[in-house]
């Protein structure tokens, strides 16, 4: 089930990589033949700074999706089962919610660790980009989707608490 999306992502990455390198080869060949007009035409959409990922990076991403996603699912299932076993019978819903909270906390902590490991120049560039994004959102009035997401999450949490209390109260 996970192999198909992993393969699709890898194939798209290889196609982008191949297209970029094919255009690069065509530009070099045009320059070697002395056809500088054709090389300049090919170079219009060919940005050296926007180089696609290498094949090694594409293969690494494929491996992470192909191996990492099932491993994460197995970990989550086993972690939730152990929590349910520790909490007692009938606490499966709470164990599942705690598992999702644990995974989310791990991802949040990883982002904080990566941010602390940045050099001062990289951190300044990242903060400048974040400030630019906040500024653009304030101009575009992009707060409504955030409000709808907050309402949806609030409703989901309230529904979860309702079902949790309904499951643990007698009657």
């Amino acid at each position: 089930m996970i192999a198909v999306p992993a393969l699709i992502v890898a194939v798209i990455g290889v196609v982008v990589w191949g297209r970029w390198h094919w255009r690069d080869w065509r530009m070099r060949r045009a320059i070697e033949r002395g056809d500088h007009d054709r090389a300049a035409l090919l170079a219009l959409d060919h940005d050296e700074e926007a180089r696609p990922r290498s094949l090694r990076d594409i293969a690494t991403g494929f491996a992470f999706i192909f191996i990492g996603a099932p491993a994460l699912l197995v970990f989550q299932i086993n972690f939730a089962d152990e929590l349910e076993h520790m909490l007692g019978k009938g606490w499966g819903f709470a164990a599942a919610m705690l598992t999702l909270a644990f995974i989310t906390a791990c991802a949040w902590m990883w982002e904080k660790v990566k941010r602390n490991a940045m050099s001062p120049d990289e951190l300044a560039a990242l903060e400048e980009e974040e400030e630019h994004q906040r500024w653009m959102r304030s101009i575009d009035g992009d707060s409504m989707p955030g409000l709808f997401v907050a309402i949806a999450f609030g409703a989901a949490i309230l529904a979860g608490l309702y079902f949790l209390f309904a499951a643990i109260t007698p009657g």
Side-chain angles (χ1 to χ4, degrees):
M1 187 164 96
I2 294 180
V4 173
L7 196 57
I8 290 171
V9 168
V11 166
I12 290 171
V14 169
V15 166
V16 168
W17 177 86
R19 186 171 174 250
W20 194 89
H21 283 284
W22 184 56
R23 180 174 277 208
D24 190 51
W25 174 78
R26 288 176 54 204
M27 284 174 32
R28 284 193 316 256
R29 190 178 70 171
I31 291 171
E32 288 171 0
R33 290 184 177 177
D35 191 2
H36 296 288
D37 293 334
R38 182 169 180 83
L41 183 65
L42 288 169
L44 286 177
D45 293 337
H46 192 73
D47 189 12
E48 281 294 326
E49 292 181 9
R51 244 184 132 84
R53 298 184 320 168
S54 68
L55 286 179
R56 186 179 124 211
D57 292 341
I58 294 169
T60 304
F62 173 75
F64 278 141
I65 293 172
F66 191 67
I67 296 168
L72 180 64
L73 287 173
V74 168
F75 170 77
Q76 284 180 307
I77 291 168
N78 289 339
F79 192 76
D81 285 344
E82 281 301 314
L83 274 177
E84 183 180 11
H85 179 70
M86 288 173 23
L87 293 172
K89 203 72 168 160
W91 285 87
F93 182 79
M97 296 302 278
L98 286 172
T99 301
L100 289 175
F102 176 71
I103 297 297
T104 305
C106 287
W108 177 80
M109 188 58 69
W110 178 249
E111 288 300 318
K112 293 296 180 187
V113 167
K114 282 186 354 185
R115 189 180 187 101
N116 286 340
M118 288 181 172
S119 71
D121 294 336
E122 291 173 331
L123 187 59
L126 178 66
E127 287 175 350
E128 184 178 328
E129 178 63 29
E130 288 172 350
E131 180 63 30
H132 177 71
Q133 291 298 325
R134 279 193 297 272
W135 184 70
M136 292 300 288
R137 279 193 300 270
S138 70
I139 288 175
D140 292 340
D142 208 10
S143 62
M144 285 307 286
L147 179 64
F148 291 135
V149 169
I151 291 170
F153 278 143
I157 289 170
L158 290 176
L161 289 174
Y162 171 77
F163 289 124
L164 174 67
F165 288 127
I168 62 173
T169 55

